[in-house]
Each structure stands twice: as structure tokens, then as C-alpha cells.
Amino acid sequence: MPQEPLSLEAGVQRKVISLIETGQNQPTISTITPLARALNLKAAERVAAAQREGQAPPRRGARRPSDPDCSVEAASIPYRSDI
């Protein structure tokens, strides 16, 4: 999907989408969620896939999956243009 229609559908500025695609920015979960919804994707699945593929290291200071109190892995979304 081109950036402009995605921007309008997700309610995210086109410049933010451009920065994500070019790897100059990693989105927050509040940006990931509307983008995923606009692309008919599940945000949690994209985050998990990115981490499995090694594209998204856990955020600094986030609890690791080996932590018994941690039930969800903390990660960033990949900044590829195919998401």
C-alpha cells in the first residue's frame, strides 16, 4: 500500500511511515497498532515475527522472556517496507 493511503487509513503521518520504512525510526506500539490494523495484520504477530527473524532486538531495559514474571516478549517492529 502506498504511504499516503496508509497514512490516511491508519491516522499516522506519512513522514513517520517513511522514516520507519527507511530504518530511521522504530515505531512505538501506539504507532504499530493502527498501521497493522490498516494493513489487515495483527500487530502482535508482526512484533513476534520480527523478533524471531532477529530484526527487532528486545528494547533496552525490557524484561527478557527467561524472566519468570515476563509472559510477553518485548520487541520493536521491523522497519521493512513489506509490513
Side-chain angles (χ1 to χ4, degrees), residues 9-30:
E9 180 72 25
V12 174
Q13 293 181 5
R14 191 202 55 76
K15 178 69 174 172
V16 171
I17 295 170
S18 176
L19 292 171
I20 294 167
E21 286 184 349
T22 59
Q24 297 176 42
N25 188 2
Q26 288 192 8
T28 63
I29 195 68
S30 62

Side-chain angles (χ1 to χ4, degrees), residues 13-61:
Q13 293 181 5
R14 191 202 55 76
K15 178 69 174 172
V16 171
I17 295 170
S18 176
L19 292 171
I20 294 167
E21 286 184 349
T22 59
Q24 297 176 42
N25 188 2
Q26 288 192 8
T28 63
I29 195 68
S30 62
T31 302
I32 294 167
T33 303
L35 288 173
R37 190 175 301 123
L39 295 168
N40 294 318
L41 301 170
K42 294 187 179 188
E45 289 175 4
R46 292 302 313 149
V47 171
Q51 193 161 33
R52 278 192 311 273
E53 295 168 6
Q55 296 175 348
R59 292 178 305 164
R60 208 164 74 200

Side-chain angles (χ1 to χ4, degrees), residues 56-67:
R59 292 178 305 164
R60 208 164 74 200
R63 290 184 290 177
R64 303 285 182 208
S66 59
D67 182 338

